[in-house]
Amino acid sequence: NEISHHINGEREVQTHALEAGSHLAVATNALNHYLATGETEDIDKHAGDIKVAQSAIQKAAQKAEEEEEQKKTGAVSAEELKKLGEEAKHLKHFDAELVEYENNYNQVVSLYKQNKTQEAQKLNHDKLEPIFESTGEEIGKLVDEHEEEIEEDIKKAEQLEKDSRLIIISLTIIAIVLSIGLGLFISNRITKPLEKLTKTVDAVSKGNLDAQVEKTSSIKEINILADSLDRVMTTMKRSIKRLDDGKKKE
């Protein structure tokens, strides 16, 4: 559903941002080790980490833009759309900062290889360290914000699930009550007229041919049965009357 999709999107942006921060930290540590010792092993080994960090930030920005576009088609507030748009722009700004970081990074390495140690250290202190600190801080803040949004979405999903279960249970109870009510209604329509006919037949069997045959049922077949009983009783009355008339003449 929409909430699950949003959670997955948040997780993806969060994962890419963490990946970028991790690779940037590795590259920075390798540079600091190089400046401190002159050993090139780490600097060569982790030369590509800045590129990997850039790629991760670009993926995060792309996903944020996709989320923004998808949200535009849904029922979301203008404030939320604005927030998504700003996040995508912010991530693109990180990407630009990483490009600047890479350029300065390569320049620091080049200066150090030329034995311009002080210049390399100054450039590292003035340019690279501020970018690393601000970017790392912003990535941490971004990750925390996404974690809060994920937790909020999870709570919404859990509440939605509870509401759905409650609706299903309520509908089930309503269906059961309606079924029972309908059954009783149909039962009363059939059994009550039949009970009245049965009482009439019982009265006739005891010799009461003046018993009333009620034809008030809304069911056609029961009324037909009542008419038949009424005709039988009428015929019996006539037959008995003829017999009585015959006896009187004798």
Side-chain angles (χ1 to χ4, degrees):
N1 57 31
E2 185 178 347
I3 294 177
S4 296
H5 178 80
H6 188 228
I7 290 173
N8 291 335
E10 294 283 349
R11 285 287 186 206
E12 192 171 335
V13 172
Q14 188 183 51
T15 300
H16 289 318
L18 284 170
E19 182 184 5
S22 174
H23 283 283
L24 184 62
V26 169
T28 301
N29 288 335
L31 179 63
N32 288 334
H33 180 74
Y34 174 62
L35 293 176
T37 64
E39 295 177 2
T40 60
E41 182 180 357
D42 283 349
I43 203 75
D44 294 335
K45 183 179 178 181
H46 299 292
D49 277 280
I50 300 175
K51 289 288 186 186
V52 176
Q54 284 178 326
S55 176
I57 284 294
Q58 289 166 3
K59 288 176 182 177
Q62 182 180 354
K63 189 61 184 178
E65 287 179 335
E66 289 174 5
E67 288 292 306
E68 181 186 7
E69 289 301 316
Q70 288 175 352
K71 287 287 184 180
K72 286 179 181 177
T73 60
V76 294
S77 63
E79 184 180 350
E80 189 174 352
L81 280 175
K82 182 181 178 181
K83 183 180 178 182
L84 286 168
E86 287 176 351
E87 182 177 279
K89 289 177 182 177
H90 208 41
L91 287 165
K92 286 183 177 179
H93 175 69
F94 286 166
D95 184 29
E97 283 193 327
L98 287 176
V99 171
E100 182 183 354
Y101 185 90
E102 183 183 27
N103 292 334
N104 288 320
Y105 186 96
N106 292 333
Q107 192 174 351
V108 167
V109 172
S110 176
L111 287 170
Y112 194 85
K113 285 181 178 179
Q114 296 173 37
N115 294 321
K116 297 179 180 179
T117 307
Q118 288 185 349
E119 290 182 42
Q121 290 177 343
K122 186 175 186 308
L123 182 60
N124 180 50
H125 180 269
D126 293 346
K127 296 288 186 179
L128 291 181
E129 288 181 1
I131 293 175
F132 174 71
E133 289 175 3
S134 64
T135 302
E137 184 179 339
E138 290 298 323
I139 287 176
K141 191 184 296 183
L142 176 70
V143 169
D144 289 342
E145 287 176 357
H146 277 266
E147 191 61 38
E148 289 176 3
E149 290 179 9
I150 289 168
E151 288 177 2
E152 186 177 336
D153 285 338
I154 289 173
K155 287 179 182 178
K156 286 180 182 178
E158 289 174 349
Q159 185 60 48
L160 184 61
E161 186 179 353
K162 288 179 183 177
D163 292 343
S164 298
R165 281 203 300 265
L166 182 60
I167 290 170
I168 291 170
I169 291 170
S170 300
L171 290 175
T172 303
I173 292 171
I174 291 170
I176 292 171
V177 171
L178 287 176
S179 298
I180 293 172
L182 183 61
L184 291 172
F185 175 72
I186 293 172
S187 175
N188 287 334
R189 287 185 63 196
I190 295 173
T191 56
K192 284 188 177 180
L194 286 176
E195 283 175 358
K196 290 178 181 179
L197 283 177
T198 301
K199 287 179 181 178
T200 303
V201 171
D202 186 55
V204 171
S205 69
K206 293 176 181 178
N208 182 11
L209 296 178
D210 293 323
Q212 294 294 319
V213 179
E214 294 187 20
K215 292 174 275 188
T216 58
S217 175
S218 59
I219 299 174
K220 181 181 177 182
E221 288 75 8
I222 293 178
N223 285 331
I224 292 172
L225 183 60
D227 284 335
S228 299
L229 178 60
D230 194 34
R231 284 196 298 272
V232 168
M233 290 171 64
T234 302
T235 302
M236 288 177 69
K237 284 180 183 180
R238 287 174 183 169
S239 297
I240 290 171
K241 188 174 184 305
R242 287 195 195 103
L243 286 172
D244 289 341
D245 289 344
K247 286 179 181 179
K248 287 178 182 178
K249 287 179 181 178
E250 290 178 0

